[in-house]
Amino acid sequence: MIDVVLLTGGNLGPVAQTLARAREALIEQIGPEKACSGVWESEPWGFDAPQRFLNQVLVLQTQLEPLTLLDTVQAIERQLGRVRAVASTDTTLHTVLGTAPRQYHSRPIDIDILFYGDRIIDLPRLQVPHPLIAQRAFVLHPLNEVLPEYRHPVTGLTSREMIEQLG
């Protein structure tokens, strides 16, 4: 079993209920829960939206391999009403990452794989640790709640240290 850290979030529909349903599905399909943050409210990041986001960090144990985990997470998103659509583009992010611009939009659920144990995964479909963790307060605060001493496998920083760097 390996520990995986996931971020759930959304800003459309009954978001708190959707996060609870996502948590249940993730535990059922991925593995037992070791920790769960409270639900955090935040402004949309990377685009304008009419409603604030709710986010939660979960730490689960799994036997799933990384790409199977990703497929499972995306299937749960679809089951809960996620439709991947094109919206606004935040052009500053692709400059930071050296990638194509990312599309951000309102959604009922989004599930990100933040960490897969201490592994570093760089595949076309999956980058772990999630490449934008250190830039997102809405990730760092709930992450700090459940794993305050965990060190990012690339930077060596804790979530608290990354929060301090955000300012």
Side-chain angles (χ1 to χ4, degrees), residues 133-134 136-145 159 162-163 166:
I133 290 172
R136 295 175 161 178
F138 68 87
V139 174
L140 293 173
H141 288 288
L143 180 62
N144 188 59
E145 182 182 325
S159 51
M162 288 184 274
I163 290 167
L166 276 179

Side-chain angles (χ1 to χ4, degrees), residues 26-68:
L26 290 164
I27 292 168
E28 180 181 306
Q29 296 179 43
I30 292 174
E33 181 180 271
K34 285 185 69 176
C36 176
S37 76
V39 175
W40 289 70
E41 186 175 343
S42 65
E43 295 291 330
W45 190 86
F47 71 106
D48 291 327
Q51 188 174 331
R52 293 170 65 88
F53 274 77
L54 297 181
N55 295 283
Q56 186 171 47
V57 167
L58 307 172
V59 181
L60 304 177
Q61 291 185 310
T62 193
Q63 293 180 342
L64 299 178
E65 290 299 316
L67 290 177
T68 304

Side-chain angles (χ1 to χ4, degrees), residues 3 59 95 104 119 130 157 167:
D3 289 353
V59 181
T95 303
Y104 295 98
R119 286 185 54 185
H130 191 287
L157 299 174

